[in-house]
Amino acid sequence: MTMEEKLAKAKSHAWFYEFALPDGTRTTPDIPEAVRQIHTSRLAKLRNVIAQNIPDSSQLAAVDFSSHEGFFSLELSKHFQTVKGLDYNTKSIDAATLMRDLHGADNVSFEACDLTRQPYAD
């Protein structure tokens, strides 16, 4: 699939998160403003925790449990050497992979995984 096709697919997808897209547009999730504010707040908290507590993050790996559409995985990719996103829902994995590809976040991978039934070891 070309980048143009991926961008068109992203624009037609019903997203839960607001993502910046490479052409300067943004996804517009159909969720209440209060929920969007939670996403923004959690993103800011994640950035603060990394900045204040993980000085060598660029040399480390991160795991995003229940990664959903990869919103936080993409943020982690800016700070960590590698990121693994795990989620039970394969549709979420597909959406996260699409967004990863659009952002060129080559240090992120996603895997469908039922965390309630098996320990993650890798």
Side-chain angles (χ1 to χ4, degrees), residues 27-38:
T27 61
T28 10
D30 187 22
I31 57 174
E33 181 58 31
V35 175
R36 291 172 119 178
Q37 290 175 3
I38 292 169

Side-chain angles (χ1 to χ4, degrees), residues 63-94:
V63 178
D64 184 4
F65 295 99
S66 298
S67 59
H68 196 215
E69 296 174 342
F71 183 74
F72 295 102
S73 299
L74 288 177
E75 181 62 32
L76 291 169
S77 76
K78 299 171 186 175
H79 305 275
F80 290 86
Q81 185 174 24
T82 60
V83 178
K84 166 100 48 181
L86 303 172
D87 200 278
Y88 179 77
N89 187 323
T90 56
K91 289 182 182 180
S92 291
I93 295 293
D94 292 344

Side-chain angles (χ1 to χ4, degrees), residues 1-2 4 29 34 37 47 49 52-53 56 60 68 75-77 79 92-94 100-101 107 109-110 113 118 120:
M1 185 182 306
T2 68
E4 291 80 19
Q37 290 175 3
R47 289 174 178 152
V49 166
Q52 294 175 5
N53 299 296
D56 305 356
L60 301 172
H68 196 215
E75 181 62 32
L76 291 169
S77 76
H79 305 275
S92 291
I93 295 293
D94 292 344
R100 177 209 57 202
D101 292 351
N107 61 331
S109 63
F110 294 100
C113 180
Q118 66 185 34
Y120 180 75

Side-chain angles (χ1 to χ4, degrees), residues 35-54:
V35 175
R36 291 172 119 178
Q37 290 175 3
I38 292 169
H39 296 167
T40 303
S41 171
R42 288 183 179 170
L43 187 60
K45 287 178 184 178
L46 175 63
R47 289 174 178 152
N48 286 337
V49 166
I50 293 168
Q52 294 175 5
N53 299 296
I54 312 171

